[in-house]
Amino acid sequence: MTRYVFVTGGVVSSVGKGIATASIGRILKSRGISVTLQKLDPYLNVDPGTMSPYQHGEVFVTEDGAETDLDLGHYERFTDENLTQASNVTSGQIYSGVIGKERRGDFLGGTIQVVPHVTDRMKQEILKVAEVSKAEVVISEIGGTVGDIEAQSFLEAIRQMRVDLGTNNVMYIHVTLLPYISASEEVKTKPTQHSVKELRSIGIQPDVIICRSDYPVPDGHRDKIALFCNVEKKAVIPLITVSNIYEVPLILDEAGLGDYIVDRLDLQAGEPNLDEWRTMVERIKTPKESISIALVGKYVQLKDSYISVREALRHAALAHDRDVDIRWIDSEELEKDGAESVLDEVQGIIIPGGFGHRGIEGMIKAAKYARINRVPYLGLCLGMHVLVIEYARHVLDSCEPNSTEFATDTCYPVIDLLPEQRSVEEKGGTMRLGRYPCRMIGGTKSAVAYDGDEVFERHRHRFEFNNDFREALEKGGLVIGGVSPDGRLVEIAEVRDHPWMVGTQAHPEFLSRPNRPHPLFCGFVGASKEILRDGDQHTPPI
């Protein structure tokens, strides 16, 4: 029978619940236990696809085209398991489904209530992810913080899960903060006690409490938490803030969390094998030469907007035995005269995805800088559009080439709406989403990087390269690196005779893993580390 682990958060949001959940998945998988992970989000949006990155951070896209919470990116990177639409459930989805059934008359005139109708639907979604994945353990993270009004129905649903499935098949883990009071120089446990009290008041007794802290947690504090929160001392797990998130599974496992979960749920498990993971973490912690990469984006004030891009850069840098220094550059700032001088010290430029006209001209200036100065460039989705627009302006000697997303009346629409998108009116979940094949063109930089004839990447876009301009741009030096199997869609574009100027219509960052970096990011970082800037020099051979 499938076992269920529910992870809740207390005291404050952004306490690291997602990383803890992903780490639990890694720990169990290291023991040969099959796992899948799920995020239960209390907000009323159906999914985060139409939400501003400033509101929600990155939108992570799964293989089957679901627009999901960024925590699913952590889950996939830590466990190396591809998740599905079933792995992200929102209150909006739940209420929409329940109301839809009511409108069809499925409830036969009954009064629709949060309990049982909404909570039953929530439990169905939790059980569905187990059915889809066939995993031995489902780990579900409940978004938000205990005490939030909008999370109450999810908490009630997971409370009922233990009643429905039995005590030995369900486990609750509470991730909470131990704040540090500088005046008394103490880590305090009282907020944790109150958070657990709130949880117990709705019928959930946590089995494990993970105590997040910026400072060491005294052993006496663990005794106090165990006593007042009614858990075993060995189930009070300190988790001190670390600079490297990939160290967290090792910390939790060394604290005994993996063995405790296995015993508590009576799982058939082998000995933990985290040797490869431990070696990777040690490599990350070892001081290395750093490369500087400019990330030119629209949402750089909230770095979580590009969290998968950041991690993919780190994975690729590690493969090249480098650290990466990411310079976060607001594309709107680059629109000012002379502002591109901030790029003089970087060894590579990456332009990630985004929507809307704001900051686009700054991105185009960054692409022009990369082309003229032969600085490696990687464009992701919107970043490919920017590459094509800038190169078209160069080849056609005109400032007119543009995307119809930004200038509907341009006479050179080198980027245009996909034909199947022209009749689409609703915004949510209607883009070209999910996993699509790409046929590589031999001899191109991207084909060399992929080392394959066909690859599959995840997509999230409405606009695409306009084939009406393909011949003219190819004559001018644009290289098509990959196309859809039918040849209709340009998936990868490159600039000829450049160290590395590649744009992909896809989002390869979603497939990068710490121990298996993505080929395009590896190629980009490999080219970037060869670039010398003022004051740099290669170490001469001895």
Side-chain angles (χ1 to χ4, degrees):
M1 181 178 182
T2 303
R3 310 299 202 275
Y4 296 84
V5 176
F6 295 106
V7 183
T8 58
V11 181
V12 294
S13 59
S14 302
V15 75
K17 190 160 67 315
I19 298 295
T21 302
S23 298
I24 293 167
R26 179 78 254 172
I27 290 169
L28 294 182
K29 189 175 178 181
S30 76
R31 287 166 165 77
I33 300 168
S34 61
V35 300
T36 193
L37 297 95
Q38 182 183 50
K39 180 71 180 291
L40 307 175
D41 273 314
Y43 52 73
L44 290 177
N45 302 69
V46 171
D47 61 42
T50 57
M51 294 169 70
S52 165
Y54 288 128
Q55 291 279 320
H56 193 264
E58 171 187 88
V59 175
F60 187 83
V61 178
T62 59
E63 293 279 286
D64 58 353
E67 296 174 289
T68 70
D69 186 82
L70 62 82
D71 278 328
L72 270 73
H74 290 313
Y75 303 165
E76 288 202 2
R77 286 186 285 271
F78 275 67
T79 65
D80 200 12
E81 297 285 343
N82 290 332
L83 303 177
T84 67
Q85 188 172 18
S87 293
N88 195 194
V89 180
T90 70
S91 291
Q93 293 172 19
I94 298 295
Y95 278 92
S96 178
V98 171
I99 292 170
K101 290 183 68 176
E102 186 273 333
R103 292 289 84 188
R104 291 192 300 270
D106 293 357
F107 294 111
L108 300 176
T111 301
I112 313 307
Q113 297 174 293
V114 172
V115 181
H117 301 99
V118 170
T119 52
D120 280 355
R121 182 64 177 249
M122 290 173 172
K123 289 188 292 182
Q124 288 170 15
E125 294 298 327
I126 295 168
L127 295 170
K128 184 170 78 174
V129 75
E131 182 181 342
V132 168
S133 67
K134 310 299 183 187
E136 296 172 79
V137 178
V138 173
I139 308 167
S140 297
E141 174 194 351
I142 290 79
T145 307
V146 170
D148 293 346
I149 292 174
E150 57 265 30
Q152 287 180 352
S153 53
F154 272 123
L155 294 173
E156 170 60 20
I158 68 170
R159 181 197 68 79
Q160 293 178 22
M161 289 289 289
R162 177 172 275 182
V163 177
D164 295 345
L165 302 176
T167 302
N168 296 330
N169 298 315
V170 174
M171 184 175 184
Y172 302 113
I173 296 177
H174 193 49
V175 183
T176 182
L177 177 70
L178 303 185
Y180 179 80
I181 306 300
S182 57
S184 60
E185 298 183 343
E186 286 182 298
V187 172
K188 306 301 288 185
T189 67
K190 189 63 71 176
T192 293
Q193 295 176 44
H194 282 294
S195 182
V196 172
K197 181 181 178 182
E198 179 80 19
L199 203 54
R200 293 172 70 186
S201 72
I202 58 176
I204 296 175
Q205 167 63 55
D207 300 288
V208 172
I209 301 175
I210 296 176
C211 303
R212 285 279 295 108
S213 176
D214 292 332
Y215 294 86
V217 179
D219 201 53
H221 283 45
R222 292 179 63 210
D223 288 324
K224 183 184 291 186
I225 292 169
L227 176 64
F228 286 102
C229 297
N230 197 32
V231 297
E232 297 180 270
K233 182 179 178 179
K234 64 181 179 180
V236 180
I237 311 290
L239 180 54
I240 311 303
T241 302
V242 290
S243 58
N244 172 18
I245 59 174
Y246 300 111
E247 195 173 354
V248 174
L250 302 178
I251 293 171
L252 294 179
D253 197 56
E254 287 166 9
L257 180 59
D259 291 337
Y260 192 86
I261 295 173
V262 168
D263 292 342
R264 172 67 181 74
L265 294 176
D266 192 25
L267 296 166
Q268 299 299 311
E271 290 297 313
N273 182 5
L274 285 164
D275 293 344
E276 183 182 349
W277 195 269
R278 186 173 288 104
T279 300
M280 177 196 70
V281 169
E282 289 304 317
R283 287 183 61 214
I284 293 173
K285 293 167 70 174
T286 301
K288 296 175 285 293
E289 183 181 344
S290 184
I291 59 168
S292 58
I293 302 295
L295 191 154
V296 181
K298 304 169 56 145
Y299 318 114
V300 294
Q301 286 82 4
L302 182 65
K303 295 179 176 60
D304 275 2
S305 301
Y306 305 114
I307 195 166
S308 289
V309 177
R310 182 188 69 194
E311 294 305 308
L313 283 171
R314 290 175 175 173
H315 303 161
L318 182 64
H320 285 280
D321 198 31
R322 293 288 192 276
D323 285 328
V324 60
D325 173 22
I326 301 176
R327 312 285 177 87
W328 301 86
I329 298 176
D330 188 335
S331 59
E332 282 190 286
E333 292 296 316
L334 281 183
E335 294 178 355
K336 299 175 182 176
D337 289 340
E340 61 268 30
S341 61
V342 300
L343 302 173
D344 289 343
E345 297 178 358
V346 303
Q347 294 163 270
I349 297 170
I350 188 165
I351 295 184
F355 299 92
H357 69 276
R358 181 177 63 82
I360 293 300
E361 291 302 322
M363 294 181 188
I364 292 171
K365 286 178 72 173
K368 182 177 181 179
Y369 181 97
R371 177 177 58 80
I372 292 174
N373 294 281
R374 298 177 61 79
V375 175
Y377 172 101
L378 178 61
L380 310 174
C381 195
L382 174 62
M384 188 194 92
H385 297 178
V386 167
L387 181 156
V388 172
I389 292 168
E390 193 285 322
Y391 201 75
R393 292 181 181 184
H394 164 64
V395 169
L396 301 174
D397 192 24
S398 168
C399 63
E400 280 297 313
N402 215 322
S403 166
T404 53
E405 180 181 5
F406 318 130
T408 56
D409 58 348
T410 176
C411 53
Y412 296 114
V414 292
I415 302 295
D416 201 6
L417 197 65
L418 285 160
E420 58 267 31
Q421 289 285 322
R422 297 190 188 282
S423 61
V424 173
E425 295 183 1
E426 292 191 0
K427 298 296 185 185
T430 57
M431 286 186 274
R432 184 177 183 235
L433 292 164
R435 183 175 186 259
Y436 287 91
C438 171
R439 176 168 55 83
M440 303 306 301
I441 306 300
T444 60
K445 287 184 170 61
S446 49
V448 171
Y450 276 113
D451 190 25
D453 296 328
E454 186 177 64
V455 298
F456 289 84
E457 293 286 359
R458 300 183 192 179
H459 291 68
R460 183 176 182 247
H461 63 104
R462 297 186 194 279
F463 292 80
E464 182 57 87
F465 185 98
N466 188 343
N467 285 317
D468 291 345
F469 296 89
R470 182 168 171 175
E471 183 179 353
L473 293 180
E474 284 186 297
K475 285 181 179 178
L478 191 73
V479 176
I480 304 305
V483 295
S484 58
D486 61 5
R488 184 172 67 91
L489 301 177
V490 172
E491 299 284 16
I492 300 175
E494 306 178 5
V495 171
R496 186 186 302 150
D497 300 326
H498 190 283
W500 179 277
M501 193 160 187
V502 176
T504 172
Q505 185 59 78
H507 285 274
E509 66 270 23
F510 294 149
L511 294 181
S512 184
R513 305 289 182 259
N515 46 9
R516 196 177 66 256
H518 192 280
L520 288 184
F521 279 86
C522 274
F524 169 65
V525 169
S528 297
K529 75 177 185 181
E530 300 301 323
I531 301 298
L532 294 177
R533 287 309 206 177
D534 291 343
D536 293 339
Q537 62 179 14
H538 286 309
T539 303
I542 297 175

